[in-house]
């Protein structure tokens, strides 16, 4: 009986221990936090912010407005706390942070967004604004003694030194996708850690063989200070390729379109205020370089950076999103076309293996925020006390900046054009003994016209060919007629006649090569 009682007491003690343990755990993880939170609430003030938005970006100067005090203070006045998170240009991590909801918005180049989404198998964010387009801030430079034009890269020993997963790499891919470089090896990249390291390799690479170097400002200017250095191509020669955009996480965009709109409107006001100040962009970029700590810029260096970036205003965003068309769009490409052209480059250069959007490019951007702004007659200058008399619907203080139209050249100027390279294009064929373009070649010329639209400052020599057999003068006329037939076709697609010159090649070719035309691309010397 005593043994039974002892066992009962032991069991009761164990049960009480368990109960006390459960109570202790409950107090530790439930009651105590509740009391602490209650105490904190009773001894705290109401927050100045109702919302917090985190934007993932990196130290690129084009994102200076996102980091500006003007933008933060504007949003603060609307009880929105803005935090810009620097992820060191890790686009995979940036997309993952959007997917997990750790950040609500982010900045990408369009090509990096497509590549990261293809890798992840999804696009958890949608483009809501175009931030900027690089216009000369990135360039491919080389030593004239080893690489005189892009066509000199058409050799098995050629290499391109660049920063991987950057706009610099994409600029190189644009060149490879559009120019005829079949002998450039598949292992054409030489990786470096940033423009500074690329520049260091450039300065010591005068005798390093057939190499080109992709840099961004201020290192482009530094490289060109070296005797014998020159630019092969820079981003000022492109339209709609190196473009930065602001994206919003899709769930956040669905649930809080009003907050996304407030961010975009505040951004527009901050950018507009900067543009209205004397040397405003230079001052902003210089201050931003100090804040990011990457490299402190002098005023001259900051000006070079500013010259290479075109920050997009509200009207230009309307044009890119297709909200204004025709003459009002100033020739700016819409996002569908930009995404399609960029996708084509990524596919041709095997940066991705398949189109992750399946041709549905409109699924990557969202136009309703800008549509709402336009419907409300938003103007970034209103309320800044910078200007007077901005009436409803007035956008007279902003302009859509298109590309400068290529000027007509004299024969002497045509002769002095700097060679760029040969465009990547299938042979243009004609009916035997005629200047009638074959149907299959018409499709190729349509693609060529579209491509030349993205290289607005290049000039094109269309060189007609005819076989060497037969009457030389008749062959010369046939070759000239073929060149002119192609030129008329391209002009009918909207290509300026100022950019095209036709000529007949000497009739020395036999066989199929004498049945086509060839193209030589040139540019006004830098």
């Amino acid at each position: 009986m005593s043994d039974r009682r002892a066992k009962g007491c032991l069991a009761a003690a164990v049960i009480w221990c368990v109960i006390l343990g459960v109570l202790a755990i409950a107090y530790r993880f439930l009651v105590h936090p509740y009391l602490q939170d209650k105490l904190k609430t009773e001894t705290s003030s109401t927050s100045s912010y109702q919302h917090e938005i985190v934007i993932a970006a990196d130290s690129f100067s084009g994102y200076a407005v996102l980091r500006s005090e003007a933008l933060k203070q504007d949003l603060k006045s609307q009880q929105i706390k803005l935090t810009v998170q620097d992820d060191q240009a890790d686009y995979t991590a940036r997309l993952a942070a959007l997917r997990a909801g750790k950040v609500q918005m982010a900045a990408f180049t369009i090509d990096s967004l497509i590549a990261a989404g293809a890798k992840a198998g999804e696009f958890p964010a949608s483009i809501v604004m175009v931030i900027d387009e690089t216009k000369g801030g990135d360039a491919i430079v080389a030593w004239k003694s080893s690489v005189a034009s892009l066509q000199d890269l058409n050799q098995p020993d050629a290499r391109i030194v660049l920063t991987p997963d950057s706009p610099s790499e994409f600029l190189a891919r644009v060149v490879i996708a559009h120019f005829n470089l079949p002998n450039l090896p598949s292992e054409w990249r030489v990786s470096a850690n940033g423009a500074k390291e690329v520049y260091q390799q450039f300065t010591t690479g005068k005798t390093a063989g057939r190499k080109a170097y992709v840099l961004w400002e201020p290192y482009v200017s530094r490289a060109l200070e070296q005797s014998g250095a020159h630019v092969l191509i820079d981003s000022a020669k492109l339209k709609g390729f190196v473009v930065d955009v602001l994206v919003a996480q899709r769930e956040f965009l669905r649930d809080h379109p009003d907050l996304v709109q407030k961010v975009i409107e505040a951004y527009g006001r901050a950018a507009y205020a900067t543009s209205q100040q004397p040397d405003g962009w230079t001052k902003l970029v210089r201050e931003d370089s100090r804040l990011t700590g990457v490299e402190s810029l002098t005023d001259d260096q900051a000006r070079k950076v500013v010259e290479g970036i075109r920050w997009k205003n509200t009207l230009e965003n309307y044009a890119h999103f297709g909200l204004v068309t025709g003459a009002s769009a100033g020739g700016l490409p819409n996002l569908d076309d930009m995404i399609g052209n960029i996708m084509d480059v990524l596919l041709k250069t095997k940066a991705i293996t398949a189109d992750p959007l399946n041709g549905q490019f409109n699924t990557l951007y969202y136009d309703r925020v800008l549509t709402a702004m336009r419907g409300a007659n938003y103007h970034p200058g209103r309320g800044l006390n910078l200007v007077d008399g901005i009436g409803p619907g007035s956008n007279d203080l902003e302009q859509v900046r298109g590309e400068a139209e290529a000027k007509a050249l004299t024969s002497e100027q045509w002769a002095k054009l700097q060679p760029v390279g040969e465009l990547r294009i299938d042979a243009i064929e004609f009916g035997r003994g005629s200047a009638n373009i074959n149907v299959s070649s018409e499709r190729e010329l349509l693609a060529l016209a579209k491509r030349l639209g993205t290289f607005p400052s290049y000039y094109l020599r269309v060189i007609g060919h005819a076989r060497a057999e037969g009457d030389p003068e008749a062959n010369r006329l046939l070759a000239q007629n073929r060149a002119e037939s192609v030129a008329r076709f391209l002009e009918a697609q909207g290509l300026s006649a100022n950019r095209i010159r036709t000529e007949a090649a000497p009739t020395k070719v036999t066989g199929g090569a004498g049945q086509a035309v060839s193209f030589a691309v040139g540019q006004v010397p830098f």
Side-chain angles (χ1 to χ4, degrees):
M1 188 72 175
S2 59
D3 288 343
R4 192 176 300 170
R5 184 179 295 125
K7 290 179 180 179
C9 290
L10 180 61
V14 170
I15 290 171
W16 275 108
C17 286
V18 171
I19 291 171
L20 291 172
V22 169
L23 290 173
I25 292 171
Y27 180 83
R28 172 68 177 83
F29 292 102
L30 297 175
V31 178
H32 182 69
Y34 168 77
L35 294 175
Q36 288 296 107
D37 287 344
K38 187 172 183 294
L39 177 63
K40 187 184 297 183
T41 300
E42 291 173 349
T43 58
S44 301
S45 301
T46 302
S47 173
S48 301
Y49 301 102
Q50 289 185 355
H51 307 281
E52 180 175 6
I53 296 175
V54 181
I55 299 179
D58 51 70
S59 60
F60 171 51
S61 295
Y63 304 150
V65 177
L66 292 175
R67 288 184 287 267
S68 69
E69 192 64 23
L71 178 57
K72 290 180 181 178
Q73 291 302 317
D74 189 319
L75 291 173
K76 182 179 181 180
S77 71
Q78 302 178 72
Q79 297 183 298
I80 300 171
K81 182 179 181 181
L82 178 66
T83 302
V84 180
Q85 186 179 95
D86 189 346
D87 57 14
Q88 307 298 311
D90 187 336
Y91 297 117
T92 299
R94 193 174 298 180
L95 200 72
L98 284 162
R99 184 173 59 245
K102 294 179 180 179
V103 302
Q104 291 73 48
M105 304 181 80
F108 284 88
T109 54
I110 294 178
D111 63 284
S112 67
L113 177 62
I114 293 172
K119 182 179 179 181
E122 62 176 320
F123 291 90
S126 187
I127 298 169
V128 292
M129 186 185 79
V130 178
I131 298 173
D132 62 65
E133 182 172 359
T134 304
K135 286 293 181 181
D138 299 276
I140 302 180
V141 301
W143 296 103
K144 290 181 182 178
S145 56
S146 57
V147 182
S149 73
L150 289 175
Q151 211 55 44
D152 288 332
L153 296 175
N154 189 33
Q155 298 292 337
D157 62 340
R159 298 292 186 274
I160 304 175
V161 184
L162 51 75
T163 303
D165 301 321
S166 71
S168 293
E169 178 175 344
F170 186 66
L171 177 58
R173 290 187 180 278
V174 171
V175 166
I176 294 168
H178 288 285
F179 289 88
N180 189 32
L181 305 171
N183 296 318
L184 182 70
S186 57
E187 298 299 322
W188 51 269
R189 296 191 310 172
V190 176
S191 296
N193 185 21
K196 184 176 183 179
E197 187 173 309
V198 176
Y199 173 72
Q200 289 170 345
Q201 291 196 40
F202 169 79
T203 57
T204 59
K206 196 167 186 177
T207 59
R210 210 180 306 270
K211 286 185 178 180
Y213 304 81
V214 196
L215 297 163
W216 57 81
E217 288 292 4
Y219 292 100
V220 174
S221 296
R222 293 179 187 176
L224 296 179
E225 292 172 357
Q226 309 292 320
S227 177
H230 71 140
V231 173
L232 297 174
I233 185 174
D234 68 17
S235 54
K237 297 295 186 291
L238 313 179
K239 182 168 76 171
F241 282 110
V242 188
V243 179
D244 289 282
V245 293
L246 185 66
V247 306
Q249 196 234 23
R250 291 185 187 271
E251 287 82 1
F252 182 74
L253 181 58
R254 178 196 63 200
D255 299 338
H256 303 286
D258 56 325
L259 294 181
V260 174
Q261 183 170 335
K262 287 179 179 180
V263 170
I264 295 174
E265 289 179 348
Y267 180 98
R269 287 189 289 269
Y272 182 78
T274 300
S275 70
Q276 296 302 297
Q277 298 167 11
D279 239 5
W281 286 111
T282 298
K283 293 174 182 176
L284 176 64
V285 165
R286 187 172 183 189
E287 175 63 15
D288 186 66
S289 72
R290 186 187 66 80
L291 290 174
T292 58
V294 176
E295 182 176 8
S296 183
L297 300 176
T298 66
D299 280 345
D300 286 342
Q301 290 170 341
R303 285 190 188 95
K304 286 292 185 181
V305 171
V306 170
E307 288 170 4
I309 301 172
R310 181 176 292 177
W311 282 273
K312 298 292 183 172
N313 63 38
T314 305
L315 287 185
E316 289 165 342
N317 264 278
Y318 292 163
H320 286 308
F321 277 77
L323 303 182
V324 294
T325 56
S328 299
L332 295 184
N334 60 47
L335 275 168
D336 261 301
D337 289 339
M338 286 195 290
I339 293 168
N341 291 338
I342 291 167
M343 187 76 73
D344 183 60
V345 169
L346 294 173
L347 289 168
K348 282 182 176 177
T349 60
K350 300 180 181 178
I352 57 177
T353 57
D355 174 4
L357 298 173
N358 296 314
Q360 297 178 312
F361 305 139
N362 60 296
T363 62
L364 197 56
Y365 64 93
Y366 182 84
D367 62 6
R368 294 180 205 172
V369 174
L370 288 172
T371 299
M373 290 168 56
R374 186 165 184 254
N377 295 322
Y378 166 81
H379 191 292
R382 192 176 292 118
L384 289 176
N385 298 320
L386 292 175
V387 291
D388 298 318
I390 302 177
S394 171
N395 283 305
D396 56 316
L397 297 178
E398 287 192 306
Q399 295 181 349
V400 173
R401 295 161 293 179
E403 305 297 333
E405 185 175 346
K407 297 179 181 179
L409 301 179
T410 65
S411 295
E412 184 180 0
Q413 289 171 322
W414 273 99
K416 291 182 178 180
L417 285 180
Q418 178 179 318
V420 176
E422 298 174 12
L423 287 177
R424 182 175 174 177
I425 184 172
D426 290 341
I428 304 302
E429 299 178 345
F430 300 84
R432 185 178 179 86
S434 78
N436 298 322
I437 303 169
N438 287 352
V439 174
S440 60
S441 290
E442 286 186 353
R443 290 193 292 269
E444 190 69 17
L445 286 174
L446 285 171
L448 175 62
K450 181 180 178 183
R451 192 186 317 176
L452 288 169
T454 65
F455 293 92
S457 62
Y458 283 156
Y459 290 84
L460 186 71
R461 289 172 55 225
V462 183
I463 307 165
H465 298 269
R467 289 179 176 175
E469 299 91 346
D471 180 75
E473 180 59 19
N475 288 337
R476 189 193 67 78
L477 287 174
L478 177 58
Q480 183 67 36
N481 288 338
R482 284 174 171 171
E484 291 176 356
S485 179
V486 167
R488 285 193 299 271
F489 187 96
L490 293 174
E491 289 168 20
Q493 311 312 311
L495 200 66
S496 170
N498 289 346
R499 300 176 60 190
I500 305 174
R501 183 182 179 91
T502 61
E503 58 188 82
T507 55
K508 297 178 180 179
V509 181
T510 59
Q515 289 287 99
V517 295
S518 57
F519 303 93
V521 179
Q523 63 186 346
V524 175
F526 282 89

